[in-house]
Amino acid sequence: MITNLQTSIDYLKGVGPNRADLLRKELGIHTYQDLINLFPNRYLDRTKYYKINTLYQNTAEVQVIGKITSFKEIAQKRGKRLVATFQDETGTMELVWFRGQKWIREALKTNTPYVIFGKANNFGGKYNMAHPDIELLKEHEQNLRSALQPIYPSTEKLSTRGITNRMMTKIMQNLFIETGGKFVETLSKNLLENLKLVPKSEALLNIHFPKDSEALFKAEFRLKFEELFYIQLQLILKNLIHKSKIKGFPFETVGEQFNTFFKNHLPFELTGAQKRVLKEIRADMGSNAQMNRLLQGDVGSGKTIVALMSMLIAIGNGFQACLMAPTAILSVQHYNGLLELCKDLNISLKLLQGSSKASERREIHEMLESGELDILIGTHAVLEDKVKFKNLGLAVIDEQHRFGVKQRSKLWKKNTFPPHVLVMTATPIPRTLAMSVYGDLDISIIDELPPGRKAIKTVHRYDSNRLKVFQFIRAEIKKKRQVYIVYPLIQENAQMDYKDLMDGYESIARDFPAPEFQISIVHGKMKPADKDFEMQRFIKGQTQIMVATTVIEVGVNVPNASVMIIESAERFGLSQLHQLRGRVGRGAEQSYCILMTSHKQSENSKKRIETMVRTNDGFEIAEVDLKLRGPGDIMGTQQSGILNLRIADIIKDSEILKHARLHAKKLLEKDPSLGHEENAVILETYRQMSKYKNIWNYIS
Ligand code: ADP
Ligand code: MG
């Protein structure tokens, strides 16, 4: 008989109403099932005993057998500390207590064998251990529970109310006794056999009470695989359902516009990656399903031309297209760029902005509804209810991290059928993360830069070297290059940041006086028209220096700009630094990125700067970023549910993740509805999982 795991923990021996209440409030544990799925955070290895003369600094926690030979009290700034000399046959060390001295003094005997456990620190050539776990050797020997001792997640409240780790272990033991350690299997026989996974009951036993390291490893592997497998199954199924349910417009041909452009007006040869991605997009849009594709490509990899050619396909099939950008500056730039590229094609393009005049808007609205307008470019303004297309076939969204999912779906509502959607981002998402978070989107990657680009040289300079940096700027400007100088602007700190920016601007204006030097300044407090004016002066080469906050971060393209100076670089995140650096290196000239910092830097910021200096590879940078910040931060909160993993770690377990994805895919290819007898277990588990909204809440 298998116990019903939906039983409330109140009924478990050793719990009772008070503890049950605490467990519910502090750890969200309501049922037997919740408890069995409370996996230990870590394990203490109590299989080995160290000798005092083999201790070394920074060892993880270790245990030593020996005797206390004497106690002494040492006065210190506040109060006193208790120090015991502890000895084994190889030497002596000290045990130190800062609290509870009276009790310890009374409880511990000298010249009696003890086992101590804790972290050994070397202080002036002598080892000590502060507040060790200490146990009589005799008791320790009788007590052999499990050599690998599980440490459960806890909270301050739990430990002050007496639910210690030892208590948790006891409660867990009771759970195993009551259930007989028998749990429903949640993976199919096939998977267990092919992947040599241990059965569920064995995995659960060894995750809580590992027999040895190997058993623990196998238990962890099985449970991690299971967790990732069901997430992947869910993502892939969602994608399949989306494709079968949400019909798109099948674009039957590539059309005349695409062909003419490709044959006669392409300004350069497409890179292999651009061609491959275009094929993927073409195939999507040619099918009956709506395209929902994420296009990733590092800054400067040439996403714009891919966007244009995709829009040409829509137009060639009699549809309209739109391109949305996150900022006014960027939408203007896209508009001008596309106008130039399309000048010999018979195509109409318009730009719609928040600042567009009423008469202009009216014209655009009319042209859109009559179908006269082929391509609409704009900012958020495109999403307004008044903007109605005759037949929107493709929506391209640039730099997706600025647009929320909600806004995207707003676009869909503009048609009876949703248009195909292409989301472009220059923020490379590490493959592992993309797999787990965007598993339900299709992904294309441009992983090749256009030929002839010189790698940007990146250096780190301290503020104290500013004069040298200024000399370098002067030399570059003499060579007719242009320079960006960027200041941080953090919302919480906006007032001070503006002051820094203006101070910086003044000092630059002093060192680079007119008329020899002309300086543009752009920041968020300026009116859009003024911003645009300043930006245009820089784009046209009328100014040599652009002083700005991060408004230029996204997408701005001035190929003649070859130097990017980032002030207070320690305050920027890695992906932002990488984005900013991508503003240079767009022309044929050697480009430079100079990261200015003060001498005060956190370890984390040192690592960021080092990474920037070492590599230009966006994917590598994204991986480091992921490690430094953790996945939740990178993706924002909306997807965090998916990242709320119980046992697997997206970064450390990326190999298992790949495995899990592969097997989920294979399974669904063979059995898309999970109707085969052999997959009944998986179907049932999947159903339970959807019911309880959490993969670890299903076994019952
Ligand atoms: P991003 O991916 O950052 O949006 P862009 O589309 O702005 O990059 O392209 C960056 C620059 O590279 C532009 O000046 C563009 O004209 C140029 N470019 C794009 N593709 C190619 C190519 N295949 N060969 C040469 N230059 C290219
Ligand atoms: Mg771009």
Side-chain angles (χ1 to χ4, degrees), residues 325-338:
T327 66
I329 291 176
L330 195 55
S331 65
V332 172
Q333 195 167 304
H334 271 315
Y335 178 65
N336 291 330
L338 293 187

Side-chain angles (χ1 to χ4, degrees), residues 432-562:
T432 45
L433 195 59
M435 239 189 258
S436 30
V437 178
Y438 286 126
D440 60 334
L441 276 185
D442 294 304
I443 300 182
S444 291
I445 298 178
I446 306 187
D447 51 4
E448 181 185 354
L449 291 180
R453 294 278 169 79
K454 290 199 180 80
I456 301 162
K457 284 189 181 148
T458 302
V459 294
H460 170 211
R461 294 284 178 266
Y462 290 111
D463 292 340
S464 45
N465 281 326
R466 186 173 307 277
L467 286 181
K468 277 212 178 124
V469 172
F470 278 8
Q471 271 171 21
F472 177 74
I473 296 179
R474 229 169 258 127
E476 284 295 299
I477 293 176
K478 262 218 180 90
K479 291 192 230 157
K480 299 269 180 276
R481 306 286 124 72
Q482 288 166 285
V483 179
Y484 291 106
I485 305 180
V486 177
Y487 287 81
L489 180 60
I490 317 290
Q491 219 97 56
E492 302 86 65
N493 216 352
Q495 236 25 48
M496 262 174 65
D497 284 344
Y498 272 114
K499 190 173 173 310
D500 283 355
L501 173 77
M502 296 323 285
D503 288 353
Y505 174 71
E506 271 167 32
S507 101
I508 291 157
R510 236 177 291 123
D511 273 273
F512 296 88
E516 192 187 348
F517 300 99
Q518 298 292 329
I519 307 174
S520 286
I521 179 164
V522 170
H523 59 75
K525 280 192 176 169
M526 292 165 72
K527 290 203 193 92
D530 294 343
K531 242 196 258 181
D532 194 44
F533 175 76
E534 286 289 311
M535 206 58 224
Q536 290 304 327
R537 290 210 305 152
F538 188 69
I539 291 170
K540 288 179 194 142
Q542 293 162 353
T543 59
Q544 297 94 20
I545 300 176
M546 160 66 73
V547 176
T549 54
T550 43
V551 280
I552 60 145
E553 176 191 339
V554 171
V556 171
N557 190 17
V558 181
N560 190 49
S562 65

Side-chain angles (χ1 to χ4, degrees), residues 369-380:
E369 286 184 54
S370 70
E372 205 181 323
L373 187 61
D374 296 312
I375 296 180
L376 179 66
I377 295 159
T379 52
H380 288 80

Side-chain angles (χ1 to χ4, degrees), residues 200-228:
K200 183 82 170 200
S201 297
E202 189 181 330
L204 286 175
L205 177 66
N206 279 295
I207 205 78
H208 292 293
F209 305 101
K211 195 171 69 191
D212 51 37
S213 307
E214 195 192 343
L216 175 60
F217 172 81
K218 285 184 176 162
E220 280 183 346
F221 188 88
R222 137 101 212 201
L223 294 170
K224 285 173 177 180
F225 178 87
E226 176 175 357
E227 181 171 45
L228 295 169

Side-chain angles (χ1 to χ4, degrees), residues 300 303-304 330 334 398-399 424 426 555 583 586:
K303 293 185 291 296
T304 315
L330 195 55
H334 271 315
D398 199 7
E399 311 293 351
M424 306 197 292
R583 298 306 110 216
R586 306 193 140 224

Side-chain angles (χ1 to χ4, degrees), residues 41 49 71 75 133 137 183 245 368 384 419 426 474 517 545:
N41 282 336
Y49 297 91
F71 286 101
D133 247 24
L137 179 61
F183 303 100
K245 273 211 187 124
L368 272 179
E384 286 166 12
R474 229 169 258 127
F517 300 99
I545 300 176

